[in-house]
């Protein structure tokens, strides 16, 4: 029904930058909040950043000032610009979106398959 596909992960040295993209497709009526989560080995999945339909943003304290989330509502896409990357940012990053399907009432949460980000020291 709805697919979220992430791209842009990879290997980068500490201090470097990466830009993640996530495209939502399928039977989409509307998308509410979109966000990025990450999960490092042996740790729980945590919120990195989120953005509302109107553009209000929320960031984890650990990434404030370094990461920027943005979205393109016309293209059903969300982005995460990651600067000044640190080894502790290494994780699988997941895209998340609240989607109301076409001809449906109510919203369902969808997840992407994840993209690996590795930051070397």
């Amino acid at each position: 029904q709805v697919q979220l596909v992430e791209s842009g992960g990879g290997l980068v040295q500490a201090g470097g930058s990466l830009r993640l993209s996530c495209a939502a497709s399928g039977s989409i009526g509307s998308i509410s909040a979109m966000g990025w989560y990450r999960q490092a080995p042996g740790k729980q999945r945590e919120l990195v950043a989120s953005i509302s339909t109107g553009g209000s943003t929320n960031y984890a304290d650990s990434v404030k000032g370094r990461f920027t989330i943005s979205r393109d509502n016309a293209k059903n896409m969300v982005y995460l610009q990651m600067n000044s990357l640190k080894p502790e940012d290494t994780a699988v990053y997941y895209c998340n979106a609240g989607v109301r399907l076409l001809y449906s009432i109510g919203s369902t949460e969808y997840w992407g398959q994840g993209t690996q980000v590795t930051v070397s020291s």
Side-chain angles (χ1 to χ4, degrees), residues 29-40:
S30 63
I31 300 177
S32 55
M34 303 185 80
W36 290 94
Y37 288 71
R38 67 186 180 187
Q39 188 166 18

Side-chain angles (χ1 to χ4, degrees), residues 8-92:
L11 173 64
V12 64
Q13 288 188 332
S17 298
L18 284 174
R19 187 187 192 220
L20 304 183
S21 300
C22 173
S25 63
S27 301
I28 298 171
S30 63
I31 300 177
S32 55
M34 303 185 80
W36 290 94
Y37 288 71
R38 67 186 180 187
Q39 188 166 18
K43 294 187 177 181
Q44 290 188 329
R45 189 174 297 189
E46 63 175 357
L47 174 68
V48 176
S50 64
I51 185 167
S52 69
T53 305
S56 297
T57 58
N58 179 50
Y59 295 94
D61 288 342
S62 59
V63 307
K64 283 181 180 177
R66 299 189 297 122
F67 291 10
T68 302
I69 189 171
S70 61
R71 65 189 285 174
D72 185 330
N73 292 330
K75 296 181 179 179
N76 291 332
M77 294 195 69
V78 63
Y79 308 95
L80 186 67
Q81 178 66 43
M82 304 185 293
N83 299 329
S84 302
L85 283 161
K86 304 175 181 180
E88 50 263 44
D89 294 319
T90 296
V92 177

Side-chain angles (χ1 to χ4, degrees), residues 12-14 87 119-121:
V12 64
Q13 288 188 332
V119 184
S120 63
S121 58

